[in-house]
Amino acid sequence: MPLALRFGFLMVLAAAVGSCSDSIDREKTQPAAESELKKMAGEDQAMRLDEHTDPNVEVEKDFEHRERVFALLVAGKIQTAEDMYYAALLLQHTPLTLCDGQLTSQSRENYLLANMLAKASAESGFRPARRMVAMTLDRYLWYSGLPQKYGTNFRIDEQTLARILEPLDSTTTDEERARWDVEPLKELKGE
């Protein structure tokens, strides 16, 4: 899908969210959306921490969560900084597929949308979202074949099991990393 088309999709989604938000009774819908997103995020994290989780179940749940996040966005129900953070967390777990021997995202634009949500959350003062800003941008860049900016993506060497920092934009400063609660480069490299 061409990059311009991806951005077009995001603009259409943003317009849909904007046009729906005026007609929603925020007081009635907000608590339900917030608790629903928080519950889905809790399920998401528990599933990833459980070594016995069936990978097929994980992919299925990720799909369900992602579809629900989109529905809540279109309905204008994702409004608070905490909502945006949990929506970003869920979107950044877009499933991967193996293509020509390399892991590829099934929908990279979800990472970009997650980045926008995380940034809005962080700029609204929700501190946990700060690192998510860096993580989602790095993931988007990485799966677009570009060097990550902050250094939040690692891979595991299959032979040594060592964590290897994925290619990184060398112009990013530690001050930029600190703004988004990412460790200094030396620490990321294990030096």
Side-chain angles (χ1 to χ4, degrees), residues 84-157:
M84 289 181 261
Y85 169 76
Y86 289 126
L89 184 144
L90 293 162
L91 288 175
Q92 63 110 16
H93 285 144
T94 293
L96 305 173
T97 188
L98 201 56
C99 183
D100 296 328
Q102 193 163 1
L103 280 177
T104 305
S105 173
Q106 291 182 0
S107 189
R108 287 186 316 235
E109 60 275 2
N110 289 346
Y111 305 139
L112 192 56
L113 181 55
N115 177 260
M116 293 175 191
L117 288 164
K119 193 166 188 182
S121 176
E123 289 174 349
S124 294
F126 194 65
R127 179 97 192 197
R130 287 170 53 152
R131 186 170 178 87
M132 183 69 66
V133 171
M135 291 169 58
T136 54
L137 181 60
D138 278 353
R139 192 164 285 193
Y140 174 75
L141 292 169
W142 188 31
Y143 285 115
S144 297
L146 300 168
Q148 57 181 329
K149 181 167 181 59
Y150 299 104
T152 62
N153 284 306
F154 293 83
R155 66 179 168 84
I156 304 296
D157 183 291

Side-chain angles (χ1 to χ4, degrees), residues 74-91:
V74 169
K77 293 182 181 179
I78 296 178
Q79 299 170 359
T80 69
E82 192 171 352
D83 287 346
M84 289 181 261
Y85 169 76
Y86 289 126
L89 184 144
L90 293 162
L91 288 175

Side-chain angles (χ1 to χ4, degrees), residues 1-126:
M1 182 184 296
L3 188 59
L5 187 56
R6 282 191 207 111
F7 286 119
F9 167 76
L10 292 175
M11 292 299 128
V12 169
L13 183 60
V17 170
S19 66
C20 294
S21 63
D22 293 337
S23 63
I24 295 193
D25 183 354
R26 296 173 200 286
E27 289 183 24
K28 289 181 183 174
T29 59
Q30 191 55 41
E34 187 173 302
S35 64
E36 182 178 0
L37 286 164
K38 194 171 189 173
K39 180 182 177 208
M40 286 191 302
E43 288 174 359
D44 176 270
Q45 295 300 287
M47 179 173 59
R48 283 172 164 68
L49 293 173
D50 182 354
E51 63 187 51
H52 302 294
T53 299
D54 179 342
N56 293 321
V57 170
E58 188 174 305
V59 168
E60 193 174 299
K61 280 307 251 186
D62 285 344
F63 179 79
E64 289 172 18
H65 289 161
R66 198 171 55 258
E67 291 299 309
R68 186 63 186 141
V69 167
F70 287 146
L72 290 169
L73 273 169
V74 169
K77 293 182 181 179
I78 296 178
Q79 299 170 359
T80 69
E82 192 171 352
D83 287 346
M84 289 181 261
Y85 169 76
Y86 289 126
L89 184 144
L90 293 162
L91 288 175
Q92 63 110 16
H93 285 144
T94 293
L96 305 173
T97 188
L98 201 56
C99 183
D100 296 328
Q102 193 163 1
L103 280 177
T104 305
S105 173
Q106 291 182 0
S107 189
R108 287 186 316 235
E109 60 275 2
N110 289 346
Y111 305 139
L112 192 56
L113 181 55
N115 177 260
M116 293 175 191
L117 288 164
K119 193 166 188 182
S121 176
E123 289 174 349
S124 294
F126 194 65

